[in-house]
Amino acid sequence: MSDDKTSPSPNSKEASGFVPGDDFTAQWINYFRLAFGRMTDDGECQWKKARDLRKEATDCAKCEKHRDYLLNYSPIIRFMRQNINKLGGDLHSENIRCRRCDTRQSGGFEKSYGIILCANELRDQGHVEDTMAHEMIHAYDHLRFQVQWRDNLRHAACTEIRASALSGECRWTREFWTKGQYKVTQQFQECIRRRAVISVAGRPECKDDVQAAKVVNEVWDSCFSDTRPFDEVYR
């Protein structure tokens, strides 16, 4: 049975609440609708994409400024870079690239490309530092342990556990201010597990969250206790 009422397209302004346009009026309407819950999830995605496109040059320039400063002055970034050099690798401003990302992640590592920093997702210099450290630990693991990225979920789980544990991204202060995590006891381990499961579950060869959690649990003890190249958890 057909319905005489015509529903708006899911991508239409009426359905999503998003108003296209870079002019002042369109931007403020979108801010208002988002703030008061008058925009759907699809509308919010459209708004974020439009915002990221509009700010792409500014975001990338700020990201590159932070990256270059950290390469020269950050203790953890300098330490990781030195240890990667010892294994025959080299990470520098030419293969640590700031880009606009369509996925909602802060960065990524690819063995033949280097590191990508998602400029539109990075809040400040501290966030850039944590992201660079995380991806540099992946680079270190790739060189030191010959990680099988696409064929071995246990390898993927292990390097994700190590990257979250050693980069500093799971320290209590960051979880408190960005994730609203108020627990002190076991917060560090819970953050690492959560991030590792999410990362493993996002891989094409992983069936679902259940399999991801199972794999993370299987390698947890050995990988969580492995702090190389640090003597202990850095921060």
Side-chain angles (χ1 to χ4, degrees):
M1 181 182 294
S2 63
D3 190 343
D4 292 337
K5 296 180 180 179
T6 303
S7 300
S9 165
N11 293 321
S12 71
K13 175 175 65 178
E14 293 79 7
S16 69
F18 171 72
V19 179
D22 291 333
D23 59 279
F24 180 84
T25 301
Q27 290 184 44
W28 274 105
I29 290 173
N30 286 324
Y31 282 130
F32 177 83
R33 290 182 174 180
L34 185 65
F36 287 92
R38 297 175 58 188
M39 192 178 286
T40 66
D41 290 343
D42 180 66
E44 185 174 352
C45 288
Q46 294 180 60
W47 172 78
K48 286 181 177 178
K49 184 174 182 179
R51 177 202 62 185
D52 292 346
L53 283 167
R54 186 171 60 251
K55 295 175 58 184
E56 182 173 5
T58 302
D59 286 343
C60 287
K62 182 170 68 173
C63 172
E64 289 167 357
K65 181 179 178 181
H66 292 326
R67 175 203 62 195
D68 294 344
Y69 177 88
L70 294 166
L71 284 170
N72 286 311
Y73 300 110
S74 165
I76 188 172
I77 299 304
R78 287 166 57 90
F79 178 79
M80 285 305 307
R81 190 178 181 190
Q82 290 166 5
N83 279 274
I84 288 168
N85 286 343
K86 290 177 183 178
L87 296 174
D90 187 21
L91 286 171
H92 44 76
S93 59
E94 296 300 315
N95 59 9
I96 302 176
R97 303 172 175 91
C98 293
R99 298 287 187 270
R100 176 181 60 80
C101 301
D102 292 328
T103 54
R104 308 252 72 99
Q105 61 189 67
S106 57
F109 168 73
E110 212 291 319
K111 60 183 181 181
S112 61
Y113 179 87
I115 290 172
I116 184 169
L117 299 174
C118 296
N120 53 316
E121 297 293 332
L122 296 168
R123 297 181 300 275
D124 50 35
Q125 184 171 287
H127 195 188
V128 177
E129 183 178 39
D130 289 347
T131 302
M132 286 177 65
H134 181 111
E135 303 306 336
M136 291 176 102
I137 290 162
H138 285 328
Y140 174 89
D141 286 358
H142 171 70
L143 294 168
R144 177 68 177 78
F145 306 117
Q146 290 79 52
V147 175
Q148 298 174 28
W149 295 98
R150 301 188 186 281
D151 302 319
N152 194 317
L153 286 180
R154 292 170 64 91
H155 282 197
C158 191
T159 190
E160 291 297 345
I161 290 169
R162 282 173 37 76
S164 289
L166 299 172
S167 65
E169 66 185 2
C170 277
R171 62 189 177 277
W172 185 82
T173 50
R174 177 171 174 183
E175 283 285 281
F176 178 86
W177 291 112
T178 64
K179 301 293 184 182
Q181 299 292 330
Y182 306 108
K183 292 186 294 183
V184 176
T185 305
Q186 297 297 312
Q187 173 275 329
F188 183 63
Q189 291 89 338
E190 288 178 7
C191 170
I192 296 165
R193 284 183 185 276
R194 183 183 73 248
R195 289 175 177 272
V197 169
I198 291 172
S199 295
V200 173
R203 295 183 174 274
E205 58 270 26
C206 184
K207 293 186 295 186
D208 51 32
D209 292 347
V210 174
Q211 184 186 17
K214 180 176 181 293
V215 173
V216 168
N217 287 335
E218 288 173 351
V219 301
W220 175 264
D221 288 342
S222 60
C223 298
F224 179 71
S225 62
D226 185 353
T227 63
R228 286 175 287 181
F230 302 95
D231 293 330
E232 57 185 4
V233 173
Y234 175 67
R235 53 181 179 172

